Amino acid sequence: MPFLGQDWRSPGWSWIKTEDGWKRIEFYGNELRDNNNGIDLEELCDENKENLFTGNVCEVVAKKRKKDLYNNNTKSQFVYQEKWIYVQKESTRERHGYCTLGEAFNRLDFSSATQDIQRFTYVAKLLQLIARSQLPSLSGAAQKNYFNVLEKIVRKVLEDHHNPRLIKELLQDLSSTLCILTRGMGKSVLVGNINIWVCRLETILNWQQQLNNLQIPKQLSNGMTLRDLPLDMQNNILYKFSDACDIINLGQATPTLHMLSEDRRLWKKLCQFHFAEKQFCRHLILSERGHVDWKVMYFTLQKYYPKREQYGDTLHFCRHCSILFWKDCHLALLFKDSGHPCTANDPDNCLMPVSPQHFIDLFKF
């Protein structure tokens, strides 16, 4: 008989229904916490050396308490969610749990990742790639989680006006894909009722209209502004950008920034950042004076070759354990925790950053 729990004699885990689906919860009783307040584990280990509590066990328990105190979960119940998933490399009958794209999307907690500014662009790009080609492969629960995460992203953009251009492209790709797929429902290309997908398409069109009507208010400040900075500092700011649209938009702010944004060296460095030298030779574009027009070169090269991706934080893949997970830098510094149950001697050398496209490729068998 199937059971839920680590021990067949246990009654099983407790579950709670949330917006993202069913999740396991754990309870920390107040009585147990109150009884253990006056007990020092180190004294217990010193007095009873022959007991089951050894020094290593005490260290693990103390570390567990520090983590609970850090997460502020000791006084109330909390939703337990493992932020990692085992990725099966080969297609075999015996599997270590579920290993589909939809299950990975449910397990890796993308809802909280949207609130992290370093992971926001990564999650948005991943949603865009799924919208282009992987919607039919999502299960019903994964679809619900996908649109819940998308709704949180749209709300965040409408509230703090963060990167609306990227979300507009995401919604445009999603609406185009849904329009094509809903016409082929006779071929059963989508999981779920056609009426649900029509309602989702109407919601997407409503979000697009809200983003198109979005007006960023002008911030009034009596302090120093961008135009008050020295010329070399404004130039250094432009050199930090890796997106051509950001450079062009910033160049429209002031005449000085417009002059700096048209610098040949700036566009040459941008081309060298995104493309290889062999690609330059195939698409050389010269100006009337015989010089290379690097700005035109950039927009020409991006039509033929993919640009270099750059993210503040990404998912990581452990080559030793075959586990995909989010790496929490704060916990890693405080508790030397890699973010997943790694069995390697040196976990840091086994980690590999995963791009959004690589994430999707991991689940193609």
Side-chain angles (χ1 to χ4, degrees):
M1 177 179 290
F3 60 91
L4 296 176
Q6 298 178 349
D7 190 351
W8 62 273
R9 296 165 294 183
S10 66
W13 289 324
S14 299
W15 298 77
I16 186 173
K17 189 174 183 180
T18 64
E19 296 180 355
D20 302 329
W22 287 91
K23 296 181 181 179
R24 179 157 57 94
I25 62 174
E26 290 186 358
F27 295 90
Y28 286 85
N30 293 329
E31 297 179 0
L32 180 62
R33 176 174 53 84
D34 296 336
N35 293 335
N36 291 337
N37 282 341
I39 300 177
D40 191 351
L41 291 176
E42 295 181 359
E43 295 179 0
L44 182 63
C45 293
D46 294 338
E47 295 177 359
N48 303 320
K49 293 183 179 180
E50 297 179 358
N51 269 346
L52 296 177
F53 290 93
T54 60
N56 293 333
V57 175
C58 293
E59 183 180 354
V60 172
V61 175
K63 183 178 179 181
K64 177 76 166 54
R65 284 191 170 185
K66 288 181 180 180
K67 283 189 177 182
D68 292 339
L69 182 61
Y70 176 80
N71 293 323
N72 196 20
N73 290 329
T74 55
K75 295 183 180 180
S76 61
Q77 71 179 33
F78 69 98
V79 176
Y80 179 86
Q81 183 173 12
E82 296 172 341
K83 299 182 180 180
W84 56 268
I85 185 172
Y86 178 84
V87 180
Q88 183 71 32
K89 296 181 180 180
E90 300 176 356
S91 179
T92 60
R93 289 185 177 181
E94 299 178 354
R95 301 235 177 191
H96 190 282
Y98 293 104
C99 188
T100 62
L101 178 63
E103 184 66 19
F105 196 85
N106 292 334
R107 289 275 299 274
L108 291 174
D109 193 18
F110 288 101
S111 297
S112 61
T114 58
Q115 306 302 319
D116 191 340
I117 191 172
Q118 293 184 342
R119 298 176 179 177
F120 180 86
T121 307
Y122 183 88
V123 176
K125 183 64 176 179
L126 180 59
L127 293 181
Q128 187 177 17
L129 293 179
I130 293 177
R132 291 176 178 176
S133 60
Q134 301 299 320
L135 279 182
S137 64
L138 296 181
S139 62
Q143 292 172 15
K144 185 177 180 180
N145 194 11
Y146 179 91
F147 283 96
N148 286 338
V149 174
L150 182 61
E151 183 179 3
K152 292 181 180 180
I153 288 179
V154 175
R155 287 180 180 178
K156 181 177 177 59
V157 173
L158 293 175
E159 290 175 0
D160 57 13
H161 311 132
H162 176 69
N163 209 342
R165 178 170 53 86
L166 177 61
I167 308 306
K168 287 181 181 179
E169 296 177 357
L170 165 61
L171 294 179
Q172 180 62 37
D173 292 341
L174 184 58
S175 61
S176 301
T177 303
L178 283 182
C179 288
I180 297 174
L181 294 178
T182 50
R183 297 172 185 173
M185 281 303 295
K187 302 178 182 179
S188 301
V189 293
L190 287 173
V191 177
N193 193 308
I194 181 62
N195 296 324
I196 297 178
W197 286 103
V198 171
C199 293
R200 288 171 176 171
L201 182 58
E202 293 177 354
T203 304
I204 293 171
L205 296 177
N206 186 23
W207 288 340
Q208 286 180 311
Q209 185 177 1
Q210 293 181 20
L211 290 176
N212 291 331
N213 298 332
L214 180 64
Q215 294 182 357
I216 301 177
K218 184 178 180 180
Q219 297 182 357
L220 300 177
S221 177
N222 297 328
M224 180 178 293
T225 61
L226 186 62
R227 67 179 64 189
D228 298 328
L229 296 177
L231 192 63
D232 56 341
M233 293 186 65
Q234 297 185 31
N235 193 32
N236 290 334
I237 292 174
L238 285 171
Y239 271 83
K240 297 298 181 180
F241 289 172
S242 60
D243 194 322
C245 294
D246 293 336
I247 295 177
I248 294 175
N249 292 334
L250 185 59
Q252 298 175 357
T254 62
T256 303
L257 288 172
H258 177 72
M259 177 191 66
L260 295 175
S261 65
E262 297 293 330
D263 188 9
R264 290 179 62 254
R265 292 174 296 178
L266 174 64
W267 289 98
K268 179 180 179 180
K269 186 176 180 180
L270 194 64
C271 290
Q272 292 175 346
F273 177 79
H274 287 284
F275 309 105
E277 294 185 2
K278 295 181 179 179
Q279 299 169 351
F280 298 158
C281 301
R282 298 176 184 176
H283 305 277
L284 270 180
I285 299 177
L286 301 178
S287 61
E288 297 178 355
R289 299 181 179 179
H291 301 292
V292 178
D293 194 337
W294 291 105
K295 184 176 181 180
V296 180
M297 277 275 295
Y298 174 85
F299 290 102
T300 303
L301 290 173
Q302 74 171 2
K303 297 178 181 179
Y304 299 97
Y305 309 104
K307 295 184 296 183
R308 179 179 176 182
E309 298 181 357
Q310 188 178 23
Y311 305 101
D313 191 11
T314 65
L315 285 168
H316 287 76
F317 181 74
C318 180
R319 294 187 294 267
H320 179 77
C321 306
S322 299
I323 285 180
L324 190 66
F325 67 100
W326 287 109
K327 183 178 180 181
D328 196 328
C329 298
H330 300 288
L331 288 178
L333 292 175
L334 291 175
F335 309 113
K336 296 181 180 180
D337 190 356
S338 60
H340 73 288
C342 187
T343 58
N345 296 327
D346 192 1
D348 293 336
N349 290 334
C350 301
L351 302 185
M352 177 181 65
V354 177
S355 65
Q357 185 60 51
H358 187 199
F359 172 84
I360 295 178
D361 294 339
L362 285 175
F363 300 95
K364 291 182 179 179
F365 299 105

